[in-house]
Amino acid sequence: MCHVIVTCRSMLWTLLSIVVAFAELIAFMSADWLVGHPRNLETKPHNTAEPYRPTLGIYGRCVKVVNFKREMLCGPYADHFGEIASGFWQATAIFLAAGILLLCAVAFISVFTMCFQSIMKKSIFNVCGLLQGIAGLFLILGLMLYPAGWGSDKVLNYCGTEASPYKVGQCSLGWAFYTAIGGTVLTFICAVFSAQAEIATSSDKVQEEIEEGKNLICLL
């Protein structure tokens, strides 16, 4: 029989797991990892158009195109994996994708932890916490390798000739990079907090509620 067990700690862990997975996924897909130096669309002497700053992601970019609306055009600059700016960024993409895949799997499983608290006689919270810890290590490796690719030709085009590995040149770091870092920190917090979720759902109060024959158990 399925006992639906909801506690504050287990629900908070579930929500955090979902938020972390979405945050890392959105950051990975974004083109706002690097914000390039200001550019003008026109080179006329009396050009009064306000400069804009293009952005560059791991595999995508946003640039303003010369048309009637002068709109930003965003999309992938790499048609396939081999065209990603540098080998370091290719490794970054692999590690981040592996970490995000694990986080998305945990986020999916976490929804069902209200009804199923164990899998193959092991606490599902502990298993998910272990997966989140492994995902966090993948994310750290990816984020450590990412600045090593700042010396690539693609980055030099956006950030000037002063750019080099671990030196951003005329660029600045975009929100996606900071989101990825924040998500990585939260990933480890989730991994640690999964133990508290497991304790909350297997407490004596929960067992008492089960023995009383209740199928829906809600505890603070």
Side-chain angles (χ1 to χ4, degrees):
M1 181 180 294
C2 174
H3 296 281
V4 179
I5 303 174
V6 180
T7 70
C8 285
R9 281 178 284 180
S10 65
M11 184 58 65
L12 180 59
W13 173 79
T14 297
L15 292 175
L16 280 177
S17 297
I18 295 172
V19 168
V20 165
F22 273 104
E24 289 289 348
L25 182 60
I26 292 171
F28 179 73
M29 296 174 64
S30 172
D32 286 88
W33 285 70
L34 286 176
V35 181
H37 61 79
R39 298 184 181 185
N40 285 310
L41 286 177
E42 300 178 11
T43 58
K44 296 177 182 179
H46 301 291
N47 177 32
T48 58
E50 186 176 340
Y52 82 100
R53 303 188 71 179
T55 60
L56 180 66
I58 296 172
Y59 64 88
R61 54 91 181 99
C62 283
V63 294
K64 186 172 286 189
V65 294
V66 180
N67 58 18
F68 179 73
K69 296 182 179 179
R70 301 234 194 281
E71 59 187 354
M72 292 293 287
L73 178 65
C74 297
Y77 67 80
D79 292 330
H80 54 80
F81 183 76
E83 290 186 354
I84 291 178
S86 74
F88 290 109
W89 282 17
Q90 291 174 4
T92 294
I94 291 173
F95 283 122
L96 291 184
I100 292 169
L101 184 63
L102 287 176
L103 290 179
C104 288
V106 171
F108 178 77
I109 294 172
S110 68
V111 177
F112 299 96
T113 55
M114 291 184 293
C115 192
F116 303 99
Q117 289 78 44
S118 63
I119 180 171
M120 297 177 65
K121 297 183 179 181
K122 294 185 181 293
S123 168
I124 197 168
F125 295 102
N126 291 340
V127 172
C128 287
L130 176 61
L131 292 178
Q132 287 175 325
I134 295 173
L137 293 177
F138 282 139
L139 296 176
I140 286 178
L141 288 172
L143 291 173
M144 289 176 63
L145 289 171
Y146 172 71
W150 289 348
S152 66
D153 292 338
K154 177 69 72 173
V155 176
L156 292 176
N157 184 40
Y158 277 74
C159 305
T161 55
E162 300 89 350
S164 61
Y166 296 95
K167 185 179 179 182
V168 78
Q170 297 179 40
C171 283
S172 59
L173 295 172
W175 65 263
F177 180 76
Y178 293 111
T179 299
I181 291 178
T184 301
V185 173
L186 283 176
T187 296
F188 285 105
I189 292 175
C190 284
V192 173
F193 197 67
S194 64
Q196 291 298 316
E198 195 277 332
I199 292 172
T201 56
S202 59
S203 65
D204 292 337
K205 289 184 179 180
V206 171
Q207 296 304 317
E208 290 174 2
E209 297 276 349
I210 292 175
E211 291 174 359
E212 291 176 5
K214 294 182 180 179
N215 293 327
L216 176 58
I217 303 168
C218 296
L219 296 174
L220 295 176

